Amino acid sequence: MSDNIYKVTEVVGTSETSIEDAITGAIERTAKTVRDIGWFEVTDTRGHVVDGKVAHYQVTLRIGFHLQD
């Protein structure tokens, strides 16, 4: 049985709609150039407030993917 080796990359996703949309957008965009994504971890959440309302969400993700042989 061989050991699995993973690489981790960090990306930032943004959305005017929700934290979930920021996460989904970041993962979907990363998946266009990185194969075998296996997991993600939200490491930071931020946003902008305009006139007392949330105007923009921003999340930092660590995304793990399996290295190919």
Side-chain angles (χ1 to χ4, degrees):
M1 175 195 265
S2 66
D3 294 332
N4 291 314
I5 305 298
Y6 296 89
K7 171 86 174 147
V8 177
T9 190
E10 185 173 75
V11 300
V12 177
T14 63
S15 172
E16 294 179 354
T17 309
S18 69
I19 291 169
E20 290 83 3
D21 284 350
I23 293 168
T24 300
I27 292 171
E28 288 177 355
R29 176 60 184 88
T30 302
K32 290 181 180 180
T33 57
V34 175
R35 293 183 299 165
D36 293 328
I37 293 174
W39 57 269
F40 73 93
E41 172 187 11
V42 176
T43 59
D44 197 18
T45 306
R46 300 173 287 291
H48 297 115
V49 177
V50 176
D51 296 327
K53 296 182 180 181
V54 175
H56 199 115
Y57 300 90
Q58 185 176 29
V59 295
T60 303
L61 304 172
R62 287 173 24 112
I63 297 177
F65 57 95
H66 182 258
L67 291 178
Q68 299 293 313
D69 290 333

